[in-house]
Amino acid sequence: MKIFDVIISGGAMAGATLALALDARFGGKLRIAVVESCDISAQVHPGFDARSIALSDGTVQILREYRLWDAIQPYATPISHIHVSDRGHAGMTDIKAEPLGLSALGYVVELAEVGQVYHRLLQERPAISLFCPASIRTVERSETEVRISLEDETTLYGKLLIAADGNTSTCCQQLGISSEIHDFEQVAVIANVEISQPHQGRAFERFTPTGPLALLPMSRQRMSMVWCVRPESLEGITGLDDNEFLLALQQAFGWRLGKMKRVGSRVAYPLKLSYRSRAVSHRFAIIGNAAQTLHPIAGQGFNLGIRDIATLVDEVRHHPEDVGNYAALHAFQQRREPDRQKTMEMTSTLVHIFSNEWFPAVVGRNLGLMAIDNLSVLRKPLLTRTLGQVSR
């Protein structure tokens, strides 16, 4: 019998961050189990094709609180400037770090590199037990505890189970907590691109007739690309060879980064808003992509999940004798709902506005971009959400 205070399903970015944050906040006195199905110990060099995510300034501040940022920063590329534009039209806006008194608007990190950092930190914390690779078979709950059975017949007991295992969460399926799904009717094509000119920390969000195209700065003269297209256009993009793809990308994006020199392997996945209206249940909480999976426009997904983590840690800290009690989980749900709703509404609205080629919509959004660039009353809400400086 293995007894813990908290059991976390999922040991990737969200689950590992939560485990390390709880350990830091409780001074190593909380017994934590992390169950991860993939072997995260494999020493795989990230290489050219490593996947990346953007961390907002607000997320970096949270990571600093948990003493995690110093370990991550050597692998992070700062974003000093965000340029937003509508292809073929005059509307555009720029957000720069320096006028805001910031050293960076955010940072881009490669998941493979941060994964190795987190794996090392998890192993160094004596209060954290890592079960990996391991899969959850059954979940049972009583009034005072949660009982987890793994596929290898190991049984774990805890006071609180937390799902951090993505939008197809095994735990949520076990407990019958379904998600609402909205299909954006777009597919994201992801790849890394090598460019001919220094990116100088610039990030780009360019709206095209097929959907948004984002390029984020990475190390070694690379950009992390997310190109959203309609499903009927996907074959015309994925079927191209590398040179043909680079030409199509150059045409869609332009020459602000010079010539697109090289593209890595391309991966495509359908874009859907997945949202669970309940983020808690009896001795159970849901965070990150298991709670909500957003469209990648504006890069809000992981940053919203980090705010889930920070709020959950805040609430359970008030109840060290029983971290899974109802009062802590109810407070977590109540505090998170406004931020979740506003962030989902913002990203979904941006998708619909900037994927609409109806002429009045095109005129309206371009006037909006120009107004944001010149009117602080419109610019401030965009900055607040982009920088992750929102109440939680």
Side-chain angles (χ1 to χ4, degrees):
M1 179 185 299
K2 300 181 184 293
I3 300 176
F4 299 92
D5 295 298
V6 176
I7 301 170
I8 301 171
S9 175
M13 284 292 288
T17 302
L18 175 61
L20 294 166
L22 285 168
D23 187 66
R25 275 289 184 262
F26 282 82
K29 296 177 181 178
L30 204 68
R31 296 163 298 176
I32 303 167
V34 178
V35 182
E36 170 55 45
S37 59
C38 296
D39 185 0
I40 59 177
S41 65
Q43 297 293 323
V44 179
H45 190 278
F48 184 80
D49 292 319
R51 300 296 165 225
S52 301
I53 57 171
L55 309 180
S56 69
D57 178 70
T59 291
V60 171
Q61 299 312 314
I62 291 172
L63 294 173
R64 286 187 197 278
E65 290 180 29
Y66 302 137
R67 303 192 303 275
L68 295 174
W69 180 241
D70 285 348
I72 296 172
Q73 189 172 14
Y75 306 99
T77 301
I79 299 172
S80 60
H81 177 185
I82 299 173
H83 180 79
V84 183
S85 61
D86 194 6
R87 180 176 178 267
H89 303 284
M92 64 180 64
T93 189
D94 285 287
I95 304 171
K96 297 180 180 180
E98 189 175 352
L100 299 173
L102 299 172
S103 58
L105 298 168
Y107 294 81
V108 180
V109 296
E110 299 182 34
L111 291 173
E113 290 182 330
V114 177
Q116 292 303 316
V117 170
Y118 272 176
H119 183 247
R120 172 176 56 79
L121 292 175
L122 290 172
Q123 290 182 312
E124 290 174 356
R125 306 286 177 94
I128 300 176
S129 298
L130 183 60
F131 296 85
C132 175
S135 299
I136 292 176
R137 185 174 61 191
T138 61
V139 177
E140 299 174 70
R141 293 176 292 178
S142 68
E143 182 180 349
T144 58
E145 67 182 13
V146 182
R147 176 181 172 178
I148 307 298
S149 297
L150 305 183
E151 291 291 351
D152 66 0
E153 300 186 358
T154 300
T155 301
L156 311 180
Y157 292 84
K159 296 176 182 177
L160 173 63
L161 171 64
I162 302 169
D165 49 354
N167 62 355
T168 58
S169 170
T170 300
C171 294
C172 291
Q173 292 174 13
Q174 283 278 335
L175 298 177
I177 300 177
S178 60
S179 58
E180 301 171 28
I181 297 175
H182 170 72
D183 192 341
F184 289 112
E185 298 181 348
Q186 291 182 349
V187 180
V189 180
I190 301 174
N192 291 340
V193 179
E194 184 179 341
I195 56 176
S196 60
Q197 294 181 5
H199 55 61
Q200 299 174 317
R202 292 175 295 169
F204 296 86
E205 184 93 51
R206 189 155 175 75
F207 298 103
T208 75
T210 63
L213 166 61
L215 289 166
L216 301 176
M218 298 173 67
S219 62
R220 303 197 299 280
Q221 202 72 350
R222 294 171 301 156
M223 303 294 287
S224 174
M225 181 206 78
V226 180
W227 191 356
C228 303
V229 300
R230 296 192 181 98
E232 60 268 23
S233 305
L234 179 62
E235 188 174 346
I237 289 180
T238 56
L240 301 174
D241 64 28
D242 286 357
N243 289 331
E244 291 169 335
F245 179 84
L246 288 170
L247 286 173
L249 176 61
Q250 193 88 63
Q251 184 177 17
F253 177 74
W255 295 85
R256 288 179 180 270
L257 291 166
K259 183 179 175 61
M260 307 286 181
K261 294 174 60 178
R262 177 186 172 199
V263 63
S265 60
R266 285 162 267 163
V267 178
Y269 65 91
L271 295 174
K272 298 178 182 180
L273 169 66
S274 174
Y275 171 69
R276 299 185 204 273
S277 56
R278 283 194 298 157
V280 300
S281 181
H282 176 62
R283 296 198 172 274
F284 181 61
I286 314 169
I287 64 163
N289 283 347
Q292 65 272 317
T293 304
L294 310 184
H295 192 287
I297 193 171
Q300 292 295 309
F302 179 72
N303 297 295
L304 180 61
I306 283 288
R307 299 197 291 273
D308 289 346
I309 290 168
T311 304
L312 183 59
V313 172
D314 284 350
E315 292 302 331
V316 300
R317 194 184 179 196
H318 296 316
H319 303 273
E321 72 290 344
D322 181 8
V323 292
N325 77 63
Y326 174 78
L329 299 182
H330 178 69
F332 164 70
Q333 166 96 8
Q334 294 297 108
R335 284 180 60 187
R336 290 305 303 138
E337 196 58 26
D339 184 20
R340 294 177 75 204
Q341 289 291 344
K342 287 177 183 177
T343 305
M344 286 189 294
E345 287 171 6
M346 183 196 76
T347 55
S348 298
T349 299
L350 284 174
V351 173
H352 293 303
I353 288 175
F354 284 96
S355 298
N356 190 336
E357 288 305 293
W358 184 48
F359 181 71
V362 173
V363 173
R365 73 194 185 211
N366 276 270
L367 289 173
L369 281 173
M370 287 186 280
I372 287 170
D373 210 35
N374 292 283
L375 298 175
S376 61
V377 68
L378 297 176
R379 191 177 178 83
K380 187 174 180 180
L382 174 65
L383 279 176
T384 299
R385 195 74 37 189
T386 299
L387 298 176
Q389 297 170 347
V390 298
S391 60
R392 51 174 178 81

